[in-house]
Amino acid sequence: MVAQASDGHILLVKKLGGLFAIIIGCMLTAVGMTFEYYGTTFVGVLFLALGAILLVLKIIRRNERPPLT
């Protein structure tokens, strides 16, 4: 389950980038919905989708390797 040393930075960037994008997306979506700024809401939803995609790509890449035996 331990990532290789060469892949460590890529996995960390995807994980932190995904979490950051989800947090920003939630905040932008909440502000947009509260004040009825549809452009802000749209950008927030895009950030939420980007964050989810980054986290899914991280999980897929981590699970590609065969299990250690």
Side-chain angles (χ1 to χ4, degrees):
M1 293 253 175
V2 176
Q4 298 292 333
S6 63
D7 294 339
H9 292 94
I10 293 172
L11 294 177
L12 181 64
V13 169
K14 283 184 181 179
K15 184 183 224 178
L16 291 178
L19 290 174
F20 182 72
I22 288 175
I23 291 169
I24 295 297
C26 285
M27 290 175 23
L28 287 174
T29 303
V31 168
M33 294 300 288
T34 300
F35 297 111
E36 296 181 1
Y37 297 147
Y38 298 112
T40 306
T41 304
F42 180 72
V43 171
V45 171
L46 287 179
F47 268 100
L48 283 169
L50 174 69
I53 289 170
L54 285 174
L55 289 176
V56 166
L57 288 174
K58 179 210 165 291
I59 292 168
I60 289 172
R61 180 161 177 137
R62 183 185 63 194
N63 290 334
E64 282 180 348
R65 296 187 190 95
L68 298 173
T69 56

